[in-house]
Amino acid sequence: MIFTTLRLGAGLLAALISAGAAQAYELPSINLGLTGFVDGAPPPAGPGLYWMSYVQPYQASHFKDAKGQDLPLPNSDISVTPWVNQFVYQSDARWLGGKLGGMLLLPSLLSASLDDGAGGTILGQTQTGMGDPVLGAFLQWDPVMGAQGPVFAHRVELDLTLPWGSYDKSKGLTPGAHATSVEAYWSGTWWVKPEWTVSSRVFYLWNGVNGDPSPTRFASSGITEAHSFQAGQAVHMNLATDYAITPQLRLGLAAYWLQQTTDTKVNGQSLADTQERVIGYGPGVMYSFSADDHLSLNYYTETGARNRTEGERATLRFIHHFR
């Protein structure tokens, strides 16, 4: 699980409420388009310690309601630049036929702005700093081999997000969710040809309770004082296909899809019309300097958003294997 978006806080929610939006925009940061090409395959350099660094600038000027319509917030804009560092250890130890591994993910927010043309009085102020760390354990299976090389490889992982990041309930945008999350995913890669792969990563997300929201955060729903809220569960997916132009260079397309499956709960009660949705798609490139070092770049345009922002994001990812 890799954080790529940020929870919107009390100030922004107040603006959305006044604009007629449902009480949404509540999902925590999740992996939208950070992983892509050859995602289900084992590390090319073999077992050991890997460092993965991600920068993913995101910008949006559309704030969508439950029907996908733009909210009446003219000249509004959100811009964030998260930086994520992930440390992954792939072992040689086996269980159920796969190799055991673990990871630590440390997200942070380098910059953030909410431009409302009024000095932040409508959308609220922003907060930068460390996000919520994530601990994970995984099983990576070796590729199934065919006459021309690998045919299929896959991995499963279970992640725990700890509510230790920076959080201020009065801010319009904050890097921490102030709630525990549990997420599981399955990732697979198919080799259509030795040079052509198709990959997917499918997630299921469960969110815990935030016990310290702004008391007036959900006032428009008739809740005079919010003591707690719980973002809904969600399914999301990354998809990618690439072609190896040379042994070092891959070009392709990537996409992501998010669908919240249950409504947000406030003080233990579900709120209708709070489920989020979005689709993103765009081109990508990956260059392998060696088996130990890889650099990828993707660009996504979003569409079909419900109860969340709709914009564009770029993803720059560097992978290094420590020998």
Side-chain angles (χ1 to χ4, degrees):
M1 177 179 178
I2 298 170
F3 286 38
T4 64
T5 58
L6 300 156
R7 182 181 295 277
L8 303 181
L12 179 52
L13 264 294
L16 299 176
I17 292 165
S18 65
Q23 298 287 348
Y25 292 72
E26 295 292 351
L27 284 180
S29 306
I30 54 178
N31 180 337
L32 294 179
L34 269 185
T35 52
F37 299 159
V38 204
D39 185 55
L49 179 64
Y50 289 79
W51 169 53
M52 304 181 186
S53 186
Y54 311 78
V55 178
Q56 192 179 56
Y58 177 76
Q59 187 275 333
S61 56
H62 297 281
F63 295 78
K64 300 292 185 175
D65 64 14
K67 297 181 179 179
Q69 302 298 313
D70 282 321
L71 295 172
L73 296 171
N75 303 317
S76 297
D77 180 270
I78 181 173
S79 178
V80 296
T81 304
W83 178 34
V84 178
N85 286 287
Q86 184 181 22
F87 297 91
V88 177
Y89 183 74
Q90 174 70 74
S91 77
D92 265 328
R94 290 187 179 272
W95 184 57
L96 300 177
K99 291 183 178 179
L100 288 163
M103 75 91 181
L104 169 65
L105 185 145
L106 301 172
S108 61
L109 182 57
L110 295 180
S111 66
S113 67
L114 291 171
D115 184 5
D116 56 21
T121 58
I122 299 175
L123 294 183
Q125 301 298 319
T126 63
Q127 180 185 22
T128 58
M130 295 300 299
D132 296 326
V134 184
L135 294 173
F138 64 87
L139 274 175
Q140 173 70 63
W141 282 270
D142 293 334
V144 176
M145 302 301 291
Q148 295 181 303
V151 176
F152 173 74
H154 67 130
R155 177 178 65 259
V156 294
E157 180 167 325
L158 181 65
D159 296 325
L160 174 66
T161 301
L162 302 170
W164 297 348
S166 300
Y167 173 77
D168 185 339
K169 62 185 178 183
S170 69
K171 299 294 185 181
L173 187 151
T174 180
H178 201 63
T180 300
S181 296
V182 178
E183 185 163 54
Y185 79 74
W186 171 86
S187 178
T189 292
W190 296 262
W191 280 263
V192 182
K193 295 181 178 180
E195 304 85 8
W196 179 17
T197 71
V198 176
S199 298
S200 68
R201 188 186 287 205
V202 183
F203 304 79
Y204 191 85
L205 171 68
W206 176 89
N207 295 299
V209 175
N210 180 334
D212 187 32
S214 169
T216 59
R217 184 165 184 158
F218 301 92
S220 71
S221 294
I223 299 172
T224 57
E225 187 171 2
H227 302 288
S228 68
F229 78 87
Q230 182 177 16
Q233 300 173 41
V235 176
H236 59 110
M237 177 187 301
N238 292 339
L239 297 169
T241 183
D242 69 90
Y243 192 88
I245 306 300
T246 72
Q248 292 78 34
L249 179 64
R250 293 179 177 272
L251 300 178
L253 299 171
Y256 57 81
W257 165 79
L258 163 70
Q259 177 61 63
Q260 187 173 333
T261 57
T262 64
D263 288 322
T264 295
K265 292 183 178 180
V266 181
N267 297 339
Q269 301 297 315
S270 295
L271 293 182
D273 297 324
T274 54
Q275 295 183 20
E276 300 182 27
R277 187 182 84 185
V278 74
I279 298 169
Y281 60 92
V285 58
M286 179 176 179
Y287 189 83
S288 298
F289 300 94
S290 67
D292 297 314
D293 296 284
H294 312 269
L295 184 67
S296 64
L297 177 64
N298 292 84
Y299 183 83
Y300 300 94
T301 299
E302 292 185 331
T303 188
R306 301 289 187 274
N307 283 326
R308 63 182 292 121
T309 58
E310 183 179 282
E312 297 82 34
R313 73 176 80 239
T315 301
L316 182 65
R317 179 188 190 195
F318 177 70
I319 302 172
H320 174 71
H321 174 231
F322 294 98
R323 287 187 172 274

